[in-house]
Amino acid sequence: MEVIISKTYEEMSRAAALDVAEVLNATPDAVIGMATGSTPLGLYQELVRMHKKEGLDFSQVTTFNLDEYVGLPVTHSQSYHYFMHENFFKHVNIPPQNIHIPSGTTSNYRAFCDWYEQRIKECGGIDVQILGIGSDGHIAFNEPASSLSSRTRLKTLAKSTIDDNARFFKSRDEVPIYAITMGVGTILEARKILLLANGRKKAEAVAAAVEGPVTSMITASALQMHADSAVYVDDDAASKLQMREYYDWVQQKKPDAPKL
Ligand code: GLP
């Protein structure tokens, strides 16, 4: 795994956005796996800026979001549908028919999940997957003890995740208990994975994911099994990494490294 440590959240977001833009420039019809949460907001703002000021084109892009709360209508201000439209989709030129977000209101979850998996395959698989990380080390809504081969499915949220996400709702009781989420196995099939984390609250989870054993107790640790994953962190989120000096050294020496 490549670990890229930035001084600030803004720098981290910009570095990750440049990585996504590089994929888009090489593959204009790329399939992007999108994440929600406060972490990727800066990355989305930077991509929107590149679209508006530098002509970064999304007209051939297809997207698949990682997850959605069960039971929230798409118009609910905390639904991931709403989040994505407000923070990203309405600011760029992705054709609406190319946007996929799991349904939190389907009448048949199993059939929907099978269709979602099928649709990712039909679109040629995900070229670059953006991820955040939960404070318990989860990716998407793959809570601790999720199978590392899991596919898109309905998941019961951990109490700690409900607590973490309560800040976005009027009260804790309003936080949905269930979600529909891509599985760890689904995520690992993406050709390239970018995980972003910022802030002191994520430091333990980041250290466990990057340097701990591969375990279903920290589903982000499964990225250690992926051949092309990068972890973008700010100083605070990097504060528990034991190999920090090495990661910085690698980045410092990168410009002079033999070209691949
Ligand atoms: C939720 C989402 C995850 C996200 C996590 C962290 O659990 N399902 O995809 O990574 O929140 O959110 P935040 O970035 O707000 O800390």
Side-chain angles (χ1 to χ4, degrees):
M1 290 165 115
E2 189 178 2
V3 180
I4 299 119
I5 304 166
S6 302
K7 285 254 154 310
T8 63
Y9 173 72
E10 289 70 29
E11 242 182 75
M12 176 197 84
S13 303
R14 164 117 184 114
L18 284 172
D19 213 345
V20 175
E22 205 175 293
V23 173
L24 275 184
N25 287 328
T27 318
D29 60 349
V31 178
I32 312 182
M34 312 295 293
T36 49
S38 47
T39 308
L41 277 175
L43 158 68
Y44 293 151
Q45 278 159 16
E46 184 57 21
L47 289 175
V48 169
R49 193 198 62 76
M50 288 174 172
H51 169 67
K52 297 208 158 122
K53 304 267 183 231
E54 295 166 12
L56 185 65
D57 181 30
F58 291 86
S59 64
Q60 298 177 62
V61 163
T62 297
T63 64
F64 284 91
N65 260 80
L66 287 168
D67 47 11
E68 177 58 290
Y69 287 117
V70 164
L72 295 191
V74 296
T75 49
H76 190 288
S77 64
Q78 294 311 322
S79 78
Y80 287 168
H81 278 77
Y82 188 89
F83 175 100
M84 286 309 301
H85 283 282
E86 286 305 303
N87 293 301
F88 190 60
F89 294 141
K90 80 174 189 192
H91 306 289
V92 294
N93 61 336
I94 303 175
Q97 68 274 18
N98 290 7
I99 293 172
H100 304 83
I101 306 178
S103 168
T105 51
T106 173
S107 55
N108 186 338
Y109 282 96
R110 177 156 301 182
F112 183 85
C113 293
D114 289 347
W115 174 81
Y116 205 70
E117 289 277 338
Q118 189 53 38
R119 192 75 197 114
I120 296 173
K121 282 203 184 82
E122 279 166 14
C123 294
I126 293 170
D127 289 298
V128 57
Q129 175 66 58
I130 298 161
L131 291 177
I133 184 169
S135 57
D136 61 0
H138 72 223
I139 46 176
F141 271 131
N142 293 287
E143 298 289 27
S146 289
S147 160
L148 300 186
S149 312
S150 49
R151 312 302 307 187
T152 303
R153 68 209 185 290
L154 192 84
K155 205 55 202 159
T156 307
L157 302 186
K159 286 184 180 163
S160 62
T161 299
I162 295 174
D163 289 341
D164 281 352
N165 293 352
R167 68 186 194 279
F168 299 115
F169 292 81
K170 280 196 206 90
S171 76
R172 191 185 185 281
D173 296 341
E174 280 184 32
V175 187
I177 292 169
Y178 306 99
I180 180 166
T181 180
M182 270 189 211
V184 182
T186 320
I187 293 168
L188 288 179
E189 280 170 12
R191 289 179 194 95
K192 182 183 178 83
I193 301 182
L194 312 182
L195 183 141
L196 281 73
N198 68 292
R200 180 63 199 76
K201 263 193 82 181
K202 298 291 173 68
E204 277 83 13
V206 167
V210 175
E211 297 177 340
V214 174
T215 168
S216 63
M217 293 306 285
I218 303 284
T219 51
S221 68
L223 300 194
Q224 292 177 35
M225 306 292 290
H226 194 276
D228 190 1
S229 64
V231 177
Y232 285 93
V233 282
D234 71 351
D235 257 335
D236 285 340
S239 59
K240 298 273 171 185
L241 288 169
Q242 288 179 26
M243 298 282 289
R244 157 116 209 211
E245 220 177 288
Y246 176 65
Y247 307 136
D248 285 341
W249 168 252
V250 171
Q251 291 309 309
Q252 202 187 317
K253 294 291 164 200
K254 203 171 169 180
D256 301 328
K259 296 288 162 261
L260 298 177

